[in-house]
Amino acid sequence: MDGLLIDSERIIMQACISAAQQVGITYTQAEYVELIGRAGPDSTRIMTAQLGGTERFNLVMQGLDAQLASLNNTFPLKPGVRALLQHYQACNIICSVASSSATHHITQRLNQVGVIDYFHQITSGQEVERGKPNPDIYLLAIKKLGLPADACIAFEDSEMGARAAIAAGLKVVVVPDLIQPSDFVTKHSYQVVDSLVSYLDLAQAQLKRHNRL
């Protein structure tokens, strides 16, 4: 969801950096990207170590929460999301969300941008013991859908998420957000595209060729 469906990662990252600055702590983009795609407990553990302890972590989180509250915790859709979901709906292709975020964050954020009804299932990082890059969340998501892995495509923006989907046996389309995929992810992905707009163009072109056959 974050960084793939909604343009939240940059906003949250800048808010983290700003919240740290307000309490005299230097926090960098390079540190923040270590958190991307990870489950909540893993992100908390890593960020606590980065900031130098629980007290400093709590101070930064208070500032972060205040900044996001001022934005009503609302983030815009990424380019191409609604059009791609409409395309899949028209083709009777079912869609699911498998996000490391908490369930209430997933439902709130997708409701706010008006796309939650496109998804048949939602799977949260709270539902699995091991977060991304472990495959657990994707294995649970496809189990809920009643589909085998080779019948599914996973869209991911993060290194951790892509590795999770690859480990689960899914075809992976990587749409990089804040960081480019590693050589491993690039090699094992179905496609790497610059945006969902580009992917939709490819999908529609393939459909037209198929329909002409």
Side-chain angles (χ1 to χ4, degrees), residues 6 11 64-76 104-105 108-113:
I6 60 173
I11 295 172
L64 172 64
D65 289 344
Q67 291 194 42
L68 296 182
S70 71
L71 301 172
N72 196 30
N73 286 285
T74 301
F75 308 98
H104 70 279
H105 282 151
Q108 177 192 40
R109 292 174 186 178
L110 296 182
N111 260 317
Q112 285 173 328
V113 291

mmCIF file with all atom_site columns, all heavy atoms in Angstrom, residues 6 11 64-76 104-105 108-113:
data_model
loop_
_atom_site.group_PDB
_atom_site.id
_atom_site.type_symbol
_atom_site.label_atom_id
_atom_site.label_alt_id
_atom_site.label_comp_id
_atom_site.label_asym_id
_atom_site.label_entity_id
_atom_site.label_seq_id
_atom_site.pdbx_PDB_ins_code
_atom_site.Cartn_x
_atom_site.Cartn_y
_atom_site.Cartn_z
_atom_site.occupancy
_atom_site.B_iso_or_equiv
_atom_site.pdbx_formal_charge
_atom_site.auth_seq_id
_atom_site.auth_comp_id
_atom_site.auth_asym_id
_atom_site.auth_atom_id
_atom_site.pdbx_PDB_model_num
ATOM 1   N N   . ILE A 1 6   ? -0.543  4.386  -2.416 1.00 0.00 ? 6   ILE A N   1
ATOM 2   C CA  . ILE A 1 6   ? -0.659  5.779  -1.950 1.00 0.00 ? 6   ILE A CA  1
ATOM 3   C C   . ILE A 1 6   ? 0.725   6.386  -1.787 1.00 0.00 ? 6   ILE A C   1
ATOM 4   O O   . ILE A 1 6   ? 1.691   5.697  -1.455 1.00 0.00 ? 6   ILE A O   1
ATOM 5   C CB  . ILE A 1 6   ? -1.465  5.888  -0.643 1.00 0.00 ? 6   ILE A CB  1
ATOM 6   C CG1 . ILE A 1 6   ? -0.807  5.100  0.484  1.00 0.00 ? 6   ILE A CG1 1
ATOM 7   C CG2 . ILE A 1 6   ? -2.896  5.438  -0.858 1.00 0.00 ? 6   ILE A CG2 1
ATOM 8   C CD1 . ILE A 1 6   ? -1.474  5.314  1.820  1.00 0.00 ? 6   ILE A CD1 1
ATOM 9   N N   . ILE A 1 11  ? 6.098   11.572 2.369  1.00 0.00 ? 11  ILE A N   1
ATOM 10  C CA  . ILE A 1 11  ? 5.510   12.459 3.371  1.00 0.00 ? 11  ILE A CA  1
ATOM 11  C C   . ILE A 1 11  ? 5.902   12.002 4.774  1.00 0.00 ? 11  ILE A C   1
ATOM 12  O O   . ILE A 1 11  ? 6.301   12.815 5.619  1.00 0.00 ? 11  ILE A O   1
ATOM 13  C CB  . ILE A 1 11  ? 3.982   12.489 3.215  1.00 0.00 ? 11  ILE A CB  1
ATOM 14  C CG1 . ILE A 1 11  ? 3.608   13.115 1.870  1.00 0.00 ? 11  ILE A CG1 1
ATOM 15  C CG2 . ILE A 1 11  ? 3.334   13.254 4.368  1.00 0.00 ? 11  ILE A CG2 1
ATOM 16  C CD1 . ILE A 1 11  ? 2.134   13.016 1.530  1.00 0.00 ? 11  ILE A CD1 1
ATOM 17  N N   . LEU A 1 64  ? 6.117   13.048 15.025 1.00 0.00 ? 64  LEU A N   1
ATOM 18  C CA  . LEU A 1 64  ? 5.607   12.491 13.773 1.00 0.00 ? 64  LEU A CA  1
ATOM 19  C C   . LEU A 1 64  ? 4.085   12.419 13.797 1.00 0.00 ? 64  LEU A C   1
ATOM 20  O O   . LEU A 1 64  ? 3.413   12.831 12.834 1.00 0.00 ? 64  LEU A O   1
ATOM 21  C CB  . LEU A 1 64  ? 6.199   11.095 13.554 1.00 0.00 ? 64  LEU A CB  1
ATOM 22  C CG  . LEU A 1 64  ? 5.620   10.289 12.391 1.00 0.00 ? 64  LEU A CG  1
ATOM 23  C CD1 . LEU A 1 64  ? 5.903   10.966 11.066 1.00 0.00 ? 64  LEU A CD1 1
ATOM 24  C CD2 . LEU A 1 64  ? 6.168   8.865  12.401 1.00 0.00 ? 64  LEU A CD2 1
ATOM 25  N N   . ASP A 1 65  ? 3.529   11.894 14.889 1.00 0.00 ? 65  ASP A N   1
ATOM 26  C CA  . ASP A 1 65  ? 2.073   11.777 14.999 1.00 0.00 ? 65  ASP A CA  1
ATOM 27  C C   . ASP A 1 65  ? 1.400   13.139 14.884 1.00 0.00 ? 65  ASP A C   1
ATOM 28  O O   . ASP A 1 65  ? 0.341   13.275 14.249 1.00 0.00 ? 65  ASP A O   1
ATOM 29  C CB  . ASP A 1 65  ? 1.693   11.123 16.327 1.00 0.00 ? 65  ASP A CB  1
ATOM 30  C CG  . ASP A 1 65  ? 2.046   9.642  16.369 1.00 0.00 ? 65  ASP A CG  1
ATOM 31  O OD1 . ASP A 1 65  ? 2.303   9.059  15.302 1.00 0.00 ? 65  ASP A OD1 1
ATOM 32  O OD2 . ASP A 1 65  ? 2.091   9.078  17.484 1.00 0.00 ? 65  ASP A OD2 1
ATOM 33  N N   . ALA A 1 66  ? 2.013   14.152 15.485 1.00 0.00 ? 66  ALA A N   1
ATOM 34  C CA  . ALA A 1 66  ? 1.439   15.506 15.431 1.00 0.00 ? 66  ALA A CA  1
ATOM 35  C C   . ALA A 1 66  ? 1.440   16.037 14.000 1.00 0.00 ? 66  ALA A C   1
ATOM 36  O O   . ALA A 1 66  ? 0.457   16.651 13.548 1.00 0.00 ? 66  ALA A O   1
ATOM 37  C CB  . ALA A 1 66  ? 2.218   16.434 16.355 1.00 0.00 ? 66  ALA A CB  1
ATOM 38  N N   . GLN A 1 67  ? 2.535   15.804 13.280 1.00 0.00 ? 67  GLN A N   1
ATOM 39  C CA  . GLN A 1 67  ? 2.614   16.298 11.907 1.00 0.00 ? 67  GLN A CA  1
ATOM 40  C C   . GLN A 1 67  ? 1.624   15.578 10.995 1.00 0.00 ? 67  GLN A C   1
ATOM 41  O O   . GLN A 1 67  ? 0.971   16.206 10.150 1.00 0.00 ? 67  GLN A O   1
ATOM 42  C CB  . GLN A 1 67  ? 4.037   16.150 11.375 1.00 0.00 ? 67  GLN A CB  1
ATOM 43  C CG  . GLN A 1 67  ? 5.031   17.084 12.058 1.00 0.00 ? 67  GLN A CG  1
ATOM 44  C CD  . GLN A 1 67  ? 6.343   17.169 11.311 1.00 0.00 ? 67  GLN A CD  1
ATOM 45  O OE1 . GLN A 1 67  ? 6.374   17.238 10.093 1.00 0.00 ? 67  GLN A OE1 1
ATOM 46  N NE2 . GLN A 1 67  ? 7.451   17.185 12.049 1.00 0.00 ? 67  GLN A NE2 1
ATOM 47  N N   . LEU A 1 68  ? 1.506   14.268 11.152 1.00 0.00 ? 68  LEU A N   1
ATOM 48  C CA  . LEU A 1 68  ? 0.571   13.519 10.321 1.00 0.00 ? 68  LEU A CA  1
ATOM 49  C C   . LEU A 1 68  ? -0.875  13.857 10.671 1.00 0.00 ? 68  LEU A C   1
ATOM 50  O O   . LEU A 1 68  ? -1.741  13.891 9.794  1.00 0.00 ? 68  LEU A O   1
ATOM 51  C CB  . LEU A 1 68  ? 0.813   12.019 10.461 1.00 0.00 ? 68  LEU A CB  1
ATOM 52  C CG  . LEU A 1 68  ? 2.173   11.513 9.967  1.00 0.00 ? 68  LEU A CG  1
ATOM 53  C CD1 . LEU A 1 68  ? 2.264   9.995  10.115 1.00 0.00 ? 68  LEU A CD1 1
ATOM 54  C CD2 . LEU A 1 68  ? 2.434   11.926 8.520  1.00 0.00 ? 68  LEU A CD2 1
ATOM 55  N N   . ALA A 1 69  ? -1.137  14.137 11.958 1.00 0.00 ? 69  ALA A N   1
ATOM 56  C CA  . ALA A 1 69  ? -2.483  14.535 12.366 1.00 0.00 ? 69  ALA A CA  1
ATOM 57  C C   . ALA A 1 69  ? -2.879  15.860 11.720 1.00 0.00 ? 69  ALA A C   1
ATOM 58  O O   . ALA A 1 69  ? -4.040  16.072 11.363 1.00 0.00 ? 69  ALA A O   1
ATOM 59  C CB  . ALA A 1 69  ? -2.563  14.639 13.891 1.00 0.00 ? 69  ALA A CB  1
ATOM 60  N N   . SER A 1 70  ? -1.894  16.746 11.558 1.00 0.00 ? 70  SER A N   1
ATOM 61  C CA  . SER A 1 70  ? -2.174  18.032 10.913 1.00 0.00 ? 70  SER A CA  1
ATOM 62  C C   . SER A 1 70  ? -2.549  17.859 9.448  1.00 0.00 ? 70  SER A C   1
ATOM 63  O O   . SER A 1 70  ? -3.200  18.723 8.851  1.00 0.00 ? 70  SER A O   1
ATOM 64  C CB  . SER A 1 70  ? -0.960  18.964 11.026 1.00 0.00 ? 70  SER A CB  1
ATOM 65  O OG  . SER A 1 70  ? 0.109   18.526 10.194 1.00 0.00 ? 70  SER A OG  1
ATOM 66  N N   . LEU A 1 71  ? -2.150  16.719 8.872  1.00 0.00 ? 71  LEU A N   1
ATOM 67  C CA  . LEU A 1 71  ? -2.513  16.387 7.485  1.00 0.00 ? 71  LEU A CA  1
ATOM 68  C C   . LEU A 1 71  ? -3.745  15.489 7.439  1.00 0.00 ? 71  LEU A C   1
ATOM 69  O O   . LEU A 1 71  ? -4.121  15.024 6.364  1.00 0.00 ? 71  LEU A O   1
ATOM 70  C CB  . LEU A 1 71  ? -1.352  15.668 6.794  1.00 0.00 ? 71  LEU A CB  1
ATOM 71  C CG  . LEU A 1 71  ? -0.019  16.420 6.699  1.00 0.00 ? 71  LEU A CG  1
ATOM 72  C CD1 . LEU A 1 71  ? 1.066   15.490 6.162  1.00 0.00 ? 71  LEU A CD1 1
ATOM 73  C CD2 . LEU A 1 71  ? -0.166  17.646 5.814  1.00 0.00 ? 71  LEU A CD2 1
ATOM 74  N N   . ASN A 1 72  ? -4.350  15.234 8.602  1.00 0.00 ? 72  ASN A N   1
ATOM 75  C CA  . ASN A 1 72  ? -5.489  14.323 8.731  1.00 0.00 ? 72  ASN A CA  1
ATOM 76  C C   . ASN A 1 72  ? -5.128  12.917 8.269  1.00 0.00 ? 72  ASN A C   1
ATOM 77  O O   . ASN A 1 72  ? -5.992  12.161 7.842  1.00 0.00 ? 72  ASN A O   1
ATOM 78  C CB  . ASN A 1 72  ? -6.697  14.851 7.945  1.00 0.00 ? 72  ASN A CB  1
ATOM 79  C CG  . ASN A 1 72  ? -8.004  14.175 8.358  1.00 0.00 ? 72  ASN A CG  1
ATOM 80  O OD1 . ASN A 1 72  ? -8.166  13.759 9.507  1.00 0.00 ? 72  ASN A OD1 1
ATOM 81  N ND2 . ASN A 1 72  ? -8.919  14.029 7.418  1.00 0.00 ? 72  ASN A ND2 1
ATOM 82  N N   . ASN A 1 73  ? -3.831  12.587 8.370  1.00 0.00 ? 73  ASN A N   1
ATOM 83  C CA  . ASN A 1 73  ? -3.340  11.267 7.964  1.00 0.00 ? 73  ASN A CA  1
ATOM 84  C C   . ASN A 1 73  ? -3.833  10.875 6.565  1.00 0.00 ? 73  ASN A C   1
ATOM 85  O O   . ASN A 1 73  ? -4.126  9.710  6.291  1.00 0.00 ? 73  ASN A O   1
ATOM 86  C CB  . ASN A 1 73  ? -3.750  10.197 8.976  1.00 0.00 ? 73  ASN A CB  1
ATOM 87  C CG  . ASN A 1 73  ? -2.930  10.282 10.244 1.00 0.00 ? 73  ASN A CG  1
ATOM 88  O OD1 . ASN A 1 73  ? -1.770  9.900  10.274 1.00 0.00 ? 73  ASN A OD1 1
ATOM 89  N ND2 . ASN A 1 73  ? -3.539  10.823 11.301 1.00 0.00 ? 73  ASN A ND2 1
ATOM 90  N N   . THR A 1 74  ? -3.933  11.869 5.690  1.00 0.00 ? 74  THR A N   1
ATOM 91  C CA  . THR A 1 74  ? -4.429  11.651 4.341  1.00 0.00 ? 74  THR A CA  1
ATOM 92  C C   . THR A 1 74  ? -3.282  11.744 3.344  1.00 0.00 ? 74  THR A C   1
ATOM 93  O O   . THR A 1 74  ? -2.488  12.688 3.380  1.00 0.00 ? 74  THR A O   1
ATOM 94  C CB  . THR A 1 74  ? -5.514  12.676 3.975  1.00 0.00 ? 74  THR A CB  1
ATOM 95  O OG1 . THR A 1 74  ? -6.589  12.562 4.914  1.00 0.00 ? 74  THR A OG1 1
ATOM 96  C CG2 . THR A 1 74  ? -6.050  12.438 2.572  1.00 0.00 ? 74  THR A CG2 1
ATOM 97  N N   . PHE A 1 75  ? -3.214  10.777 2.439  1.00 0.00 ? 75  PHE A N   1
ATOM 98  C CA  . PHE A 1 75  ? -2.150  10.741 1.441  1.00 0.00 ? 75  PHE A CA  1
ATOM 99  C C   . PHE A 1 75  ? -2.781  10.527 0.062  1.00 0.00 ? 75  PHE A C   1
ATOM 100 O O   . PHE A 1 75  ? -3.764  9.799  -0.064 1.00 0.00 ? 75  PHE A O   1
ATOM 101 C CB  . PHE A 1 75  ? -1.174  9.605  1.731  1.00 0.00 ? 75  PHE A CB  1
ATOM 102 C CG  . PHE A 1 75  ? -0.649  9.609  3.137  1.00 0.00 ? 75  PHE A CG  1
ATOM 103 C CD1 . PHE A 1 75  ? -1.207  8.788  4.107  1.00 0.00 ? 75  PHE A CD1 1
ATOM 104 C CD2 . PHE A 1 75  ? 0.391   10.444 3.503  1.00 0.00 ? 75  PHE A CD2 1
ATOM 105 C CE1 . PHE A 1 75  ? -0.734  8.791  5.404  1.00 0.00 ? 75  PHE A CE1 1
ATOM 106 C CE2 . PHE A 1 75  ? 0.870   10.455 4.801  1.00 0.00 ? 75  PHE A CE2 1
ATOM 107 C CZ  . PHE A 1 75  ? 0.308   9.634  5.757  1.00 0.00 ? 75  PHE A CZ  1
ATOM 108 N N   . PRO A 1 76  ? -2.202  11.133 -0.979 1.00 0.00 ? 76  PRO A N   1
ATOM 109 C CA  . PRO A 1 76  ? -2.791  10.990 -2.323 1.00 0.00 ? 76  PRO A CA  1
ATOM 110 C C   . PRO A 1 76  ? -2.489  9.642  -2.956 1.00 0.00 ? 76  PRO A C   1
ATOM 111 O O   . PRO A 1 76  ? -1.516  8.975  -2.594 1.00 0.00 ? 76  PRO A O   1
ATOM 112 C CB  . PRO A 1 76  ? -2.112  12.121 -3.108 1.00 0.00 ? 76  PRO A CB  1
ATOM 113 C CG  . PRO A 1 76  ? -0.789  12.312 -2.424 1.00 0.00 ? 76  PRO A CG  1
ATOM 114 C CD  . PRO A 1 76  ? -1.044  12.051 -0.964 1.00 0.00 ? 76  PRO A CD  1
ATOM 115 N N   . HIS A 1 104 ? -6.035  -1.108 10.632 1.00 0.00 ? 104 HIS A N   1
ATOM 116 C CA  . HIS A 1 104 ? -6.814  0.136  10.667 1.00 0.00 ? 104 HIS A CA  1
ATOM 117 C C   . HIS A 1 104 ? -6.188  1.212  9.791  1.00 0.00 ? 104 HIS A C   1
ATOM 118 O O   . HIS A 1 104 ? -6.897  2.047  9.228  1.00 0.00 ? 104 HIS A O   1
ATOM 119 C CB  . HIS A 1 104 ? -6.985  0.639  12.101 1.00 0.00 ? 104 HIS A CB  1
ATOM 120 C CG  . HIS A 1 104 ? -5.741  1.155  12.754 1.00 0.00 ? 104 HIS A CG  1
ATOM 121 N ND1 . HIS A 1 104 ? -4.805  0.313  13.330 1.00 0.00 ? 104 HIS A ND1 1
ATOM 122 C CD2 . HIS A 1 104 ? -5.264  2.421  12.922 1.00 0.00 ? 104 HIS A CD2 1
ATOM 123 C CE1 . HIS A 1 104 ? -3.812  1.044  13.834 1.00 0.00 ? 104 HIS A CE1 1
ATOM 124 N NE2 . HIS A 1 104 ? -4.065  2.315  13.591 1.00 0.00 ? 104 HIS A NE2 1
ATOM 125 N N   . HIS A 1 105 ? -4.852  1.196  9.637  1.00 0.00 ? 105 HIS A N   1
ATOM 126 C CA  . HIS A 1 105 ? -4.218  2.149  8.730  1.00 0.00 ? 105 HIS A CA  1
ATOM 127 C C   . HIS A 1 105 ? -4.568  1.825  7.280  1.00 0.00 ? 105 HIS A C   1
ATOM 128 O O   . HIS A 1 105 ? -4.820  2.732  6.470  1.00 0.00 ? 105 HIS A O   1
ATOM 129 C CB  . HIS A 1 105 ? -2.699  2.129  8.903  1.00 0.00 ? 105 HIS A CB  1
ATOM 130 C CG  . HIS A 1 105 ? -2.216  2.861  10.103 1.00 0.00 ? 105 HIS A CG  1
ATOM 131 N ND1 . HIS A 1 105 ? -1.059  2.528  10.772 1.00 0.00 ? 105 HIS A ND1 1
ATOM 132 C CD2 . HIS A 1 105 ? -2.736  3.924  10.765 1.00 0.00 ? 105 HIS A CD2 1
ATOM 133 C CE1 . HIS A 1 105 ? -0.892  3.351  11.791 1.00 0.00 ? 105 HIS A CE1 1
ATOM 134 N NE2 . HIS A 1 105 ? -1.897  4.197  11.811 1.00 0.00 ? 105 HIS A NE2 1
ATOM 135 N N   . GLN A 1 108 ? -8.303  2.768  6.681  1.00 0.00 ? 108 GLN A N   1
ATOM 136 C CA  . GLN A 1 108 ? -8.482  4.218  6.748  1.00 0.00 ? 108 GLN A CA  1
ATOM 137 C C   . GLN A 1 108 ? -7.926  4.901  5.503  1.00 0.00 ? 108 GLN A C   1
ATOM 138 O O   . GLN A 1 108 ? -8.602  5.721  4.868  1.00 0.00 ? 108 GLN A O   1
ATOM 139 C CB  . GLN A 1 108 ? -7.788  4.772  7.992  1.00 0.00 ? 108 GLN A CB  1
ATOM 140 C CG  . GLN A 1 108 ? -7.866  6.300  8.101  1.00 0.00 ? 108 GLN A CG  1
ATOM 141 C CD  . GLN A 1 108 ? -6.930  6.851  9.166  1.00 0.00 ? 108 GLN A CD  1
ATOM 142 O OE1 . GLN A 1 108 ? -5.803  6.388  9.313  1.00 0.00 ? 108 GLN A OE1 1
ATOM 143 N NE2 . GLN A 1 108 ? -7.400  7.838  9.904  1.00 0.00 ? 108 GLN A NE2 1
ATOM 144 N N   . ARG A 1 109 ? -6.701  4.549  5.141  1.00 0.00 ? 109 ARG A N   1
ATOM 145 C CA  . ARG A 1 109 ? -6.041  5.248  4.039  1.00 0.00 ? 109 ARG A CA  1
ATOM 146 C C   . ARG A 1 109 ? -6.676  4.916  2.696  1.00 0.00 ? 109 ARG A C   1
ATOM 147 O O   . ARG A 1 109 ? -6.813  5.792  1.838  1.00 0.00 ? 109 ARG A O   1
ATOM 148 C CB  . ARG A 1 109 ? -4.545  4.924  4.045  1.00 0.00 ? 109 ARG A CB  1
ATOM 149 C CG  . ARG A 1 109 ? -3.836  5.512  5.256  1.00 0.00 ? 109 ARG A CG  1
ATOM 150 C CD  . ARG A 1 109 ? -2.380  5.081  5.350  1.00 0.00 ? 109 ARG A CD  1
ATOM 151 N NE  . ARG A 1 109 ? -1.780  5.560  6.595  1.00 0.00 ? 109 ARG A NE  1
ATOM 152 C CZ  . ARG A 1 109 ? -0.540  5.319  6.973  1.00 0.00 ? 109 ARG A CZ  1
ATOM 153 N NH1 . ARG A 1 109 ? 0.261   4.594  6.193  1.00 0.00 ? 109 ARG A NH1 1
ATOM 154 N NH2 . ARG A 1 109 ? -0.078  5.800  8.116  1.00 0.00 ? 109 ARG A NH2 1
ATOM 155 N N   . LEU A 1 110 ? -7.075  3.654  2.496  1.00 0.00 ? 110 LEU A N   1
ATOM 156 C CA  . LEU A 1 110 ? -7.703  3.301  1.228  1.00 0.00 ? 110 LEU A CA  1
ATOM 157 C C   . LEU A 1 110 ? -9.125  3.839  1.140  1.00 0.00 ? 110 LEU A C   1
ATOM 158 O O   . LEU A 1 110 ? -9.611  4.156  0.049  1.00 0.00 ? 110 LEU A O   1
ATOM 159 C CB  . LEU A 1 110 ? -7.681  1.787  1.032  1.00 0.00 ? 110 LEU A CB  1
ATOM 160 C CG  . LEU A 1 110 ? -6.286  1.166  0.910  1.00 0.00 ? 110 LEU A CG  1
ATOM 161 C CD1 . LEU A 1 110 ? -6.396  -0.341 0.670  1.00 0.00 ? 110 LEU A CD1 1
ATOM 162 C CD2 . LEU A 1 110 ? -5.473  1.814  -0.209 1.00 0.00 ? 110 LEU A CD2 1
ATOM 163 N N   . ASN A 1 111 ? -9.798  3.950  2.277  1.00 0.00 ? 111 ASN A N   1
ATOM 164 C CA  . ASN A 1 111 ? -11.116 4.596  2.296  1.00 0.00 ? 111 ASN A CA  1
ATOM 165 C C   . ASN A 1 111 ? -11.012 6.061  1.930  1.00 0.00 ? 111 ASN A C   1
ATOM 166 O O   . ASN A 1 111 ? -11.836 6.592  1.178  1.00 0.00 ? 111 ASN A O   1
ATOM 167 C CB  . ASN A 1 111 ? -11.754 4.462  3.687  1.00 0.00 ? 111 ASN A CB  1
ATOM 168 C CG  . ASN A 1 111 ? -12.782 3.350  3.757  1.00 0.00 ? 111 ASN A CG  1
ATOM 169 O OD1 . ASN A 1 111 ? -13.591 3.190  2.852  1.00 0.00 ? 111 ASN A OD1 1
ATOM 170 N ND2 . ASN A 1 111 ? -12.755 2.580  4.836  1.00 0.00 ? 111 ASN A ND2 1
ATOM 171 N N   . GLN A 1 112 ? -10.005 6.727  2.482  1.00 0.00 ? 112 GLN A N   1
ATOM 172 C CA  . GLN A 1 112 ? -9.868  8.165  2.260  1.00 0.00 ? 112 GLN A CA  1
ATOM 173 C C   . GLN A 1 112 ? -9.658  8.513  0.789  1.00 0.00 ? 112 GLN A C   1
ATOM 174 O O   . GLN A 1 112 ? -10.082 9.584  0.345  1.00 0.00 ? 112 GLN A O   1
ATOM 175 C CB  . GLN A 1 112 ? -8.702  8.715  3.092  1.00 0.00 ? 112 GLN A CB  1
ATOM 176 C CG  . GLN A 1 112 ? -9.024  8.826  4.578  1.00 0.00 ? 112 GLN A CG  1
ATOM 177 C CD  . GLN A 1 112 ? -7.807  9.214  5.406  1.00 0.00 ? 112 GLN A CD  1
ATOM 178 O OE1 . GLN A 1 112 ? -6.687  8.859  5.085  1.00 0.00 ? 112 GLN A OE1 1
ATOM 179 N NE2 . GLN A 1 112 ? -8.033  9.948  6.476  1.00 0.00 ? 112 GLN A NE2 1
ATOM 180 N N   . VAL A 1 113 ? -9.019  7.613  0.050  1.00 0.00 ? 113 VAL A N   1
ATOM 181 C CA  . VAL A 1 113 ? -8.786  7.894  -1.373 1.00 0.00 ? 113 VAL A CA  1
ATOM 182 C C   . VAL A 1 113 ? -9.795  7.170  -2.269 1.00 0.00 ? 113 VAL A C   1
ATOM 183 O O   . VAL A 1 113 ? -9.697  7.215  -3.491 1.00 0.00 ? 113 VAL A O   1
ATOM 184 C CB  . VAL A 1 113 ? -7.346  7.528  -1.790 1.00 0.00 ? 113 VAL A CB  1
ATOM 185 C CG1 . VAL A 1 113 ? -6.359  8.487  -1.154 1.00 0.00 ? 113 VAL A CG1 1
ATOM 186 C CG2 . VAL A 1 113 ? -6.992  6.091  -1.417 1.00 0.00 ? 113 VAL A CG2 1
#
